[in-house]
């Protein structure tokens, strides 16, 4: 019998045609085997409940950390150079490459090791916390890490769930519990979860231990808001009772139990399989345009390095081709050296030259860039102007890798509701049977004082009309998912349904709260849900009770929700509420034309509209619905799809009752922000799920569309009259006529007298554009659509599903111009486009924290985007672009004299600089000034950047890191290197420069070149600095002073740990020479002169917008003290 049962179970699981059981798991509640003959017991192994967030262990830290660090190209490159220096005879000491590399690797390892130690500490604290298990009918206390799948757990109020649990029973009679998930998704509001219907009566340890059940559910996956499963409850050897399990039955690890004394649950996912642990993994890494430019420049310099080494190697053997040229009398070769292969000697020399010139690629640049990004990100979080007093929160930086990308944005894709608008709904009116009813204004449960009675715009209804009207209000009272809670149970903002009652409405949707609050003014008040009965107070102050039979939940695809309720008289109703586009096609009766007209009028005014319909169900019809719903709900595979199909069958043949209108006010300064972004040359697209009329009205209100904007439509309504091909080609001809003027407009700012276009497209039309054509190609329509969009000043995409929002962003992101895109939204439906865009920004709004949690940056309000881009983004880009170019410039200055020196030393690989100078040039002498510059530079005042958004255009399209700018910096470095080397060479050739007639040697010559170089590159940065503080002065002049003091000590003291000191007394001898002082001053001046002349000429002849603003500000700063002095003089003359 047991064998047959096992075979039957295996065949059912692996050979069933309907479902693929590989993606499911079976959990035995309390580890109790199923009854004999019911189902074969198949033991399964699951991980324990230990959480491991650390990357390393004590044993693998060193090898694993080194492996990860040397995966970076720069670190690996310097490791190879260091090994070459160890293996062959090279002109420089291995210390010159090894010490900087060791410093970078050690600092990084210490930082990562400390962070991992903190993670180990947190893991141990979490894994060792006590948990109460139910074992043999009594409570047992164990450590959390010992919890296993199938264990029954007791959790008390204010405790955190130790793993993912299926909710079995609660201390509440109705089998509910309240949970906060702030540590998971940042939402502090209470969520209601429901126990399994057949187990909610088990309140004691003995009762719950007697439970005989198995759970079948999906394998672990990271989506916090999705769960599919079913529970089989065995009673008295009969067939098991099968109940569906969804996210409302799942209690997640990390969430906290609130306002409930205790609950029992069975562990379903443990340890690293919990949803919280699966969400530890980071999002896909985004790379900024600056980082890509930096990597390209590194490749160019690597090619230059190889070319230098190759040229020197070839010239060395050309020079040595003359007899005895390669073997002077003071350096005779041994016989073994003469017998060595020519190829081997040449290859060794090539590697030696590579080592000599390898400093052209600076290892410290990576460290400096990372420090600049990390420290610079704090300027956003510290910005008090971006702090919101109402929320009590400021901006958040989830990644610092994209700071400079904020200064390169070309397209902004924004959600409407909650992003451009406040998501703070105000009930305005309802239309019942074509009759408009407008209460005095209600906002968040507060009646405004300007009216005191309901304004019935149309005449009073007849008897049948009154019956429909009351049915409409009952529908709004019942068709929702609102929870009513006592004030003392509610954390945060409270929405009282009645000023005389100590209760509050809580819902994840502000629309639902606004509607339920609004209809109170018509005499209908929703009271509560108790024992599966919904109670409401009617106009006669009588309490009506409706049994809640089913809830057909809202989703963004159906765009509607329904409830099935049973009245006290036994009548069964289905009430449906949703968008007009999803309700009207399902209506067979009602005053459709009148209500549709009112809905369209309200939409044009920018109001959010919903339609309400119903139908009566006979008991037989309801029984059929129950069977369909049960079959779909217990499915483990494609449950959502099957439920959607059932909902489509149920929600048909409706009777239209009426429509509602609520207002979602525009956020403060949203219009100013969009106007500033457009002046900055940024194109703004609005992507929303709302209907076209409502969204268009909002776009006019926020100045995305203007009075002279000609709207072009690619909508379902228009495509019913014309083909997609004809519509797109007609629009293309229209916009291309004015493309020249629009191009000028794009560069000169928005102009009132020029015709500009706005495009409106809906989700259905977009699907047709994105759909591949019959011949297999889809690019034609896409390119045509993109051409139209490029010539429109603004685009509105309405009726968009979340996935379509991401498709739009991806379409623009990968177009031929490859523009930098930014997506901003506040809800879970915006996460896909936030992750798709180059930069994702979440608004900390009222639709939860999913958007803020998945974004790169989070801001409290849309208005803060203006400063985020125009000020912070501008500064970040200016600073890091100067940092990157300056690093390459100063290393060209550093290495090119070394290259020139080889022509004067027989290509013998003799170094021009001392080992200490080679090692410390990038680490100490020139690193701090550029780091401070990249953190603090403000080439233009913040107020000026906010006041003049057009300045953002000057840095657009990676302007400061283009090839032209890169070549200029490189040529400037080459010119300065030529001045350093040949200036010193010609000034002191065959010349006595000391008082005792001694001439300079090669180390003195190299030190002179190095001194001029350090002063030149540091003063070059000082000339580029516009924003001076005491920190800048301290670091710039302190770095020069440090170099002088170090050189005096390095060459003026006999160091016992050195076997020889070739720099002994060299620097002191150099400074004792008057001509050397003159040479330093003269060469530094000549080196800086071209850059100064270029700046002066460009400012006078071809000034950029930023340079014009700088000149104007300088003139104002000079004029103000002059005017003050003149006023003081005139006042003294009057006396």
């Amino acid at each position: 019998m047991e064998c047959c049962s096992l075979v039957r179970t295996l065949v059912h699981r692996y050979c069933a045609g309907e479902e693929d059981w590989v993606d499911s798991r079976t959990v035995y509640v309390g580890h109790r085997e199923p009854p004999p003959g019911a189902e074969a017991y198949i033991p399964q192994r699951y991980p324990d409940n230990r959480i491991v967030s650390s990357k390393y262990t004590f044993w693998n830290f060193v090898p694993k950390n080194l492996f990860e660090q040397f995966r970076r190209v720069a670190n690996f490159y310097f490791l190879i150079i260091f090994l070459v220096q160890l293996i062959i005879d090279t002109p420089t000491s291995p210390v010159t490459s090894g010490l900087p590399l060791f410093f970078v690797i050690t600092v990084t390892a210490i930082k990562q090791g400390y962070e991992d130690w903190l993670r180990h500490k947190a893991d141990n604290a979490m894994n060792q916390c006590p948990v109460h298990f139910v074992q043999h009918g009594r409570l047992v206390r164990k450590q959390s890490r010992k919890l296993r799948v199938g264990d029954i757990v007791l959790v008390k109020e204010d405790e955190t769930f130790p793993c993912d649990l299926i909710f079995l029973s609660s201390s509440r009679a109705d089998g509910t519990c309240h949970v906060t998930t702030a540590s998971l998704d940042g939402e502090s509001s209470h969520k209601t979860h429901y126990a399994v219907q057949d187990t909610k009566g088990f309140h004691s340890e003995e009762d719950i231990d007697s439970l005989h059940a198995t759970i079948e559910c999906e394998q672990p996956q990271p989506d916090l808001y999705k769960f599919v499963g079913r529970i089989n409850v065995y009673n008295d050897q009969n067939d098991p009772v099968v109940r569906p399990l969804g996210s409302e039955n799942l209690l997640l690890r990390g969430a906290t139990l609130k306002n409930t004394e205790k609950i029992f649950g069975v562990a379903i996912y443990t340890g690293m399989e919990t949803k919280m642990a699966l969400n530890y993994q980071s999002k896909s890494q985004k790379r900024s345009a600056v980082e890509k430019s930096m990597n390209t420049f590194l490749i160019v310099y690597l090619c230059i390095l190889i070319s230098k080494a190759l040229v020197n190697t070839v010239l060395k053997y050309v020079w040595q081709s003359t007899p005895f040229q390669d073997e002077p009398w003071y350096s005779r070769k041994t016989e073994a050296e003469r017998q060595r292969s020519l190829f081997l000697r040449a290859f060794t020399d090539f590697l030696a030259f590579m080592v000599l010139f390898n400093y052209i690629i600076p290892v410290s640049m990576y460290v400096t860039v990372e420090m600049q990004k990390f420290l610079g990100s704090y300027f956003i979080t510290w910005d008090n102007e971006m702090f919101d007093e109402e929320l009590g929160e400021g901006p958040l930086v989830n990644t610092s890798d994209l700071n400079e990308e904020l200064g390169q944005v070309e397209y902004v894709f924004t959600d409407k509701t909650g992003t451009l608008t406040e998501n703070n709904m105000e009930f305005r009116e309802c239309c019942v049977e074509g009759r408009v009813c407008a209460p005095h204004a209600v906002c968040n449960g507060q009646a405004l004082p300007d009216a005191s009675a309901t304004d019935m715009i149309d005449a009073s209804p007849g008897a049948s009309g009154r019956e429909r009207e009351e049915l409409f209000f009952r529908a709004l009272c019942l068709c929702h998912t609102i929870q009513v809670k006592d004030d003392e149970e509610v954390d945060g903002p409270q929405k009282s349904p009645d000023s005389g009652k100590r209760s509050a409405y809580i819902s994840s949707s502000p629309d639902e709260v606004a509607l339920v609050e609004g209809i109170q003014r018509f005499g209908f008040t929703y009271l509560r849900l108790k024992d599966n009965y919904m109670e409401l107070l009617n106009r006669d102050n009588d309490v009506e009770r409706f049994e809640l039979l089913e809830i057909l939940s809202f989703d963004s695809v159906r765009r509607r929700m329904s409830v099935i309720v049973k009245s006290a008289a036994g009548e069964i109703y289905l009430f449906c509420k949703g968008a007009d586009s999803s309700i009207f096609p399902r209506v067979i009766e009602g005053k459709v034309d009148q209500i549709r007209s009112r809905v369209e009028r309200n939409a044009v005014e920018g109001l959010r509209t919903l339609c309400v319909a119903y139908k009566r169900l006979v008991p037989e019809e309801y029984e059929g619905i129950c069977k369909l719903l049960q079959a779909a709900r217990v499915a483990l595979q494609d449950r959502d799809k099957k439920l959607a199909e059932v909902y489509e069958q149920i929600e048909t043949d409706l009777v239209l009752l009426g429509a509602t209108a609520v207002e979602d006010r525009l956020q403060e300064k949203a219009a100013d922000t969009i106007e500033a972004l457009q002046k900055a040359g940024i194109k703004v697209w609005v992507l929303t799920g709302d209907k076209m009329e409502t969204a268009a009205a909002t776009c006019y209100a926020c100045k995305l569309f203007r009075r002279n904007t000609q709207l072009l439509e690619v909508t379902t309504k228009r495509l019913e009259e014309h083909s997609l091909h004809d519509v797109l080609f007609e629009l293309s001809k229209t916009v291309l006529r004015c493309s020249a003027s629009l191009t000028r407009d794009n560069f000169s700012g928005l102009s009132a007298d020029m015709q500009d276009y706005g495009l409106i497209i809906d989700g259905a039309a977009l699907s047709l554009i994105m759909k591949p054509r019959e011949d297999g190609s889809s690019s034609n329509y896409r390119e045509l659509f993109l051409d139209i969009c490029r010539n429109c000043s603004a685009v509105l995409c309405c009726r968009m599903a979340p996935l379509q929002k991401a498709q739009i962003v991806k379409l623009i992101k990968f177009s031929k111009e490859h523009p930098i895109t930014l997506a901003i939204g506040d809800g879970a439906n915006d996460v896909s486009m936030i992750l798709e865009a180059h930069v994702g920004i979440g608004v900390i709004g009222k639709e939860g924290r999913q958007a803020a949690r998945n974004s790169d940056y989070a801001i409290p309000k849309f208005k803060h985007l203006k400063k985020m881009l125009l000020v912070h983004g501008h500064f970040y880009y200016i600073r890091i672009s100067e940092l990157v170019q300056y690093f390459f410039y100063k290393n060209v200055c550093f290495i090119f004299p070394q290259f020139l020196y080889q022509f004067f030393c027989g290509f013998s690989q003799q170094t021009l600089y001392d080992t200490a100078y080679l090692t410390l040039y990038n680490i100490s002498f020139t690193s701090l000034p550029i780091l401070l510059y990249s953190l603090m530079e403000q080439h233009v005042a913040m107020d000026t950047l906010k006041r003049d958004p057009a300045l953002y255009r000057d840095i657009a399209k990676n302007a400061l890191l283009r090839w032209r700018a890169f070549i200029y910096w490189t040529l400037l470095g080459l010119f300065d290197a030529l001045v350093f080397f040949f200036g010193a060479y010609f000034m002191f050739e065959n010349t006595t420069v000391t008082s005792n007639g001694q001439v300079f040697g090669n180390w003195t010559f190299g030190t002179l070149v190095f001194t001029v170089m350090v002063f030149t590159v540091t003063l070059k940065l000082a000339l580029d600095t516009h924003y001076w503080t005491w920190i800048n002065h301290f670091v710039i002049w302190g770095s020069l002073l440090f170099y002088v003091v170090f050189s005096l000590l390095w060459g003026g003291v006999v160091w016992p740990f050195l076997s020889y000191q070739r720099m002994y007394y060299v620097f002191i001898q150099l400074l004792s020479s008057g001509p050397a002082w003159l040479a330093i001053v003269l060469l530094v001046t000549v080196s800086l002169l071209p850059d100064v002349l270029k700046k002066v000429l460009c400012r006078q002849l071809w000034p950029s917008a930023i340079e014009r603003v700088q000149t104007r500000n300088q003139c104002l700063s000079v004029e103000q003290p002059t005017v003050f002095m003149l006023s003081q003089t005139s006042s003294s003359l009057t006396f």
Side-chain angles (χ1 to χ4, degrees), residues 1117-1133:
S1117 62
V1118 172
E1119 285 175 6
Q1120 286 173 356
T1122 306
V1123 170
F1124 176 76
M1125 290 170 61
L1126 288 172
S1127 64
Q1128 293 295 315
T1129 306
S1130 62
S1131 61
S1132 64
L1133 288 173

Side-chain angles (χ1 to χ4, degrees), residues 9 220 295 344 433 463 549 557 607 766 841 867 887 897 1084:
T9 301
N295 291 338
L344 188 60
E433 287 284 291
L549 301 177
V557 178
L607 303 179
L766 178 69
I841 295 185
K867 188 172 186 183
F887 252 100
V1084 168

Side-chain angles (χ1 to χ4, degrees), residues 271-563:
M272 298 308 294
E273 290 187 341
T274 59
K275 290 182 181 288
M276 183 181 76
L278 292 175
N279 276 276
Y280 283 158
Q281 54 193 355
S282 59
K283 304 180 290 292
S284 60
Q285 192 72 21
K286 296 180 180 179
R287 295 174 61 213
S288 69
V290 170
E291 186 179 349
K292 294 173 184 175
S293 297
M294 189 169 70
N295 291 338
T296 304
F297 296 160
L298 278 173
I299 293 172
V300 171
Y301 274 92
L302 184 61
C303 294
I304 292 174
L305 169 63
I306 295 172
S307 302
K308 281 184 177 182
L310 198 59
V311 167
N312 274 259
T313 303
V314 171
L315 290 178
K316 176 176 182 176
Y317 283 91
V318 169
W319 185 76
Q320 290 182 355
S321 61
T322 306
F324 304 107
Q325 195 83 341
D326 64 333
E327 200 173 343
W329 60 269
Y330 53 83
S331 181
R332 293 289 183 183
K333 293 181 180 178
T334 63
E335 192 61 31
E337 289 175 331
R338 291 193 183 97
Q339 297 299 323
R340 285 181 65 191
S341 166
L342 177 64
F343 173 79
L344 188 60
R345 279 186 291 155
F347 182 69
T348 304
D349 285 328
F350 173 77
L351 291 179
F353 281 119
M354 286 283 289
V355 169
L356 187 64
F357 302 140
N358 82 86
Y359 303 96
I360 197 171
I361 298 178
V363 67
S364 59
M365 182 174 68
Y366 285 96
V367 180
T368 308
V369 167
E370 284 191 3
M371 290 177 65
Q372 190 272 345
K373 289 185 175 184
F374 174 71
L375 296 175
S377 64
Y378 283 99
F379 289 117
I380 290 180
T381 57
W382 291 338
D383 193 335
N384 290 329
E385 291 183 16
M386 297 174 70
F387 184 85
D388 187 72
E389 296 290 345
E390 181 185 349
L391 290 173
E393 295 190 62
L396 301 174
V397 178
N398 297 327
T399 175
S400 59
D401 293 336
L402 302 172
N403 293 343
E404 63 276 8
E405 205 81 331
L406 294 170
Q408 294 295 295
V409 174
E410 297 172 63
Y411 282 82
V412 168
F413 300 92
T414 175
D415 178 40
K416 183 182 79 70
T417 305
T419 305
L420 293 177
T421 62
E422 292 181 348
N423 204 14
N424 195 9
M425 307 302 173
E426 177 184 326
F427 184 81
R428 291 290 298 272
E429 69 172 43
C430 56
C431 177
V432 188
E433 287 284 291
R435 177 173 166 274
V436 178
C437 308
H440 54 272
V442 178
C443 183
N444 295 336
Q446 308 258 335
L448 299 183
D450 57 350
S452 59
T454 301
D455 177 17
M456 299 298 183
I457 295 175
D458 295 341
S460 297
S464 63
R466 177 168 289 276
E467 182 184 347
R468 287 279 178 90
E469 180 184 284
E470 292 190 352
L471 201 57
F472 171 81
F473 292 134
R474 286 189 180 94
L476 290 178
C477 269
L478 299 171
C479 190
H480 56 73
T481 56
I482 285 176
Q483 296 291 320
V484 181
K485 300 186 180 124
D486 295 335
D487 275 354
E488 59 268 17
E489 292 184 358
V490 180
D491 299 329
Q494 301 171 1
K495 298 176 168 57
S496 175
D498 193 303
S499 58
K501 291 181 170 61
R502 297 286 292 167
S503 57
Y505 291 144
I506 303 295
S507 174
S508 59
S509 170
D511 295 76
E512 289 191 335
V513 175
L515 291 174
V516 174
E517 288 172 350
I519 60 173
Q520 291 179 31
R521 310 304 165 182
F522 298 101
F524 286 82
T525 303
Y526 174 63
L527 298 178
R528 60 179 173 173
L529 172 66
K530 182 180 181 183
D531 297 330
N532 218 38
Y533 281 86
M534 302 181 80
E535 297 180 359
L536 60 92
L537 196 67
N538 62 21
R539 286 172 172 169
D540 301 324
N541 283 330
D542 295 329
V543 176
E544 298 182 9
R545 301 180 82 236
F546 291 82
E547 183 182 0
L548 179 60
L549 301 177
E550 302 289 348
I551 296 178
L552 313 187
S553 304
F554 174 87
D555 65 68
S556 58
V557 178
R558 284 167 54 239
R559 299 182 60 78
R560 62 186 182 274
M561 73 159 292
S562 301
V563 294

